[in-house]
Amino acid sequence: MTTLIQPPNIESQRLILPNVTWQQYESLLNIFGDRSGLKLIYLEGTLEIFMPSAEHETIKKIVARLLERYAEELDIPLHGYGSTTFRRAATAQGLEPDECYCVGTIKELPDFAVEINLTSGGIDKLAIYRGLGIPEVLVWQNNRLTLYDLRDSIDLEVVSSQFFPGLDFQLLARYIQPQNQPQAIKDFLAAIRSK
């Protein structure tokens, strides 16, 4: 690997490195790819190395648990990929979703991804998801959920999911209570059963 000429931008638990080649990114994935807690995000020569906080991980986990319970309740065939690394050399893009799922059958790429953004800045992950061909991304930011449909060339904010039909994301957001996970999940199930 070559030495960086520009100093890296360090923001909380995030390191952004410019001018990183695809080969360098893949080498780093081979070295660090299986290490728990370290995420490598790559977009056209810029590499972001991110270490999620405990708060990030607890929010990610409760969102995943709520989605999975919803799928069980409605008999949606959900296949979890977790935070697997997805990359495409042709578009020079790669990332590890916080959580992701295939619906129906297992596919090469997930249908639906979840991103938890507690800080601003960093690489545009929606651009990477779009470039990889992942159709829907649910983003938790500023204590709210936003669902994006990425099937076209723009990031379209939508209120309903093709993969989680009937799911009210505003209702789901009310039960993202990391310090109260077991009760929040029970309360969420009671709320969707009463509809």
Side-chain angles (χ1 to χ4, degrees), residues 8-23:
N9 175 19
I10 299 173
E11 183 181 57
S12 67
Q13 297 176 14
R14 175 179 290 150
L15 176 65
I16 298 175
L17 304 171
N19 306 316
V20 176
T21 68
W22 182 258
Q23 293 75 22

Side-chain angles (χ1 to χ4, degrees), residues 40-95:
L40 302 176
I41 304 156
Y42 186 83
L43 178 60
E44 301 166 348
T46 301
L47 176 68
E48 180 178 327
I49 302 172
F50 177 70
M51 182 160 302
S53 65
E55 179 186 11
H56 177 279
E57 293 300 285
T58 56
I59 293 171
K60 170 195 87 161
K61 190 48 132 178
I62 192 163
V63 171
R65 290 178 72 189
L66 291 166
L67 288 171
E68 291 163 8
R69 291 306 305 268
Y70 182 83
E72 289 170 11
E73 193 71 19
L74 273 70
D75 200 25
I76 297 169
L78 195 64
H79 302 274
Y81 262 124
S83 60
T84 302
T85 300
F86 298 98
R87 60 187 183 256
R88 183 168 285 156
T91 58
Q93 298 172 333
L95 58 58

Side-chain angles (χ1 to χ4, degrees), residues 31-161:
I31 295 168
F32 299 113
D34 292 334
R35 298 195 186 212
S36 176
L38 189 64
K39 292 180 171 271
L40 302 176
I41 304 156
Y42 186 83
L43 178 60
E44 301 166 348
T46 301
L47 176 68
E48 180 178 327
I49 302 172
F50 177 70
M51 182 160 302
S53 65
E55 179 186 11
H56 177 279
E57 293 300 285
T58 56
I59 293 171
K60 170 195 87 161
K61 190 48 132 178
I62 192 163
V63 171
R65 290 178 72 189
L66 291 166
L67 288 171
E68 291 163 8
R69 291 306 305 268
Y70 182 83
E72 289 170 11
E73 193 71 19
L74 273 70
D75 200 25
I76 297 169
L78 195 64
H79 302 274
Y81 262 124
S83 60
T84 302
T85 300
F86 298 98
R87 60 187 183 256
R88 183 168 285 156
T91 58
Q93 298 172 333
L95 58 58
E96 301 156 48
D98 289 324
E99 289 287 340
C100 61
Y101 303 95
C102 285
V103 179
T105 60
I106 297 174
K107 303 166 192 79
E108 182 181 342
L109 292 168
D111 297 309
F112 189 91
V114 175
E115 281 297 326
I116 309 302
N117 292 337
L118 298 181
T119 59
S120 61
I123 291 177
D124 179 2
K125 292 179 190 170
L126 290 179
I128 298 172
Y129 283 115
R130 190 180 339 94
L132 292 172
I134 297 171
E136 284 187 2
V137 179
L138 182 64
V139 177
W140 172 261
Q141 188 166 354
N142 299 324
N143 294 316
R144 72 183 277 261
L145 287 172
T146 306
L147 179 65
Y148 293 94
D149 182 333
L150 306 179
R151 289 177 289 177
D152 295 321
S153 61
I154 59 167
D155 303 336
L156 184 62
E157 192 174 318
V158 295
V159 295
S160 61
S161 168

Side-chain angles (χ1 to χ4, degrees), residues 189-195:
L189 287 173
I192 61 174
R193 287 173 182 157
S194 68
K195 284 186 143 194

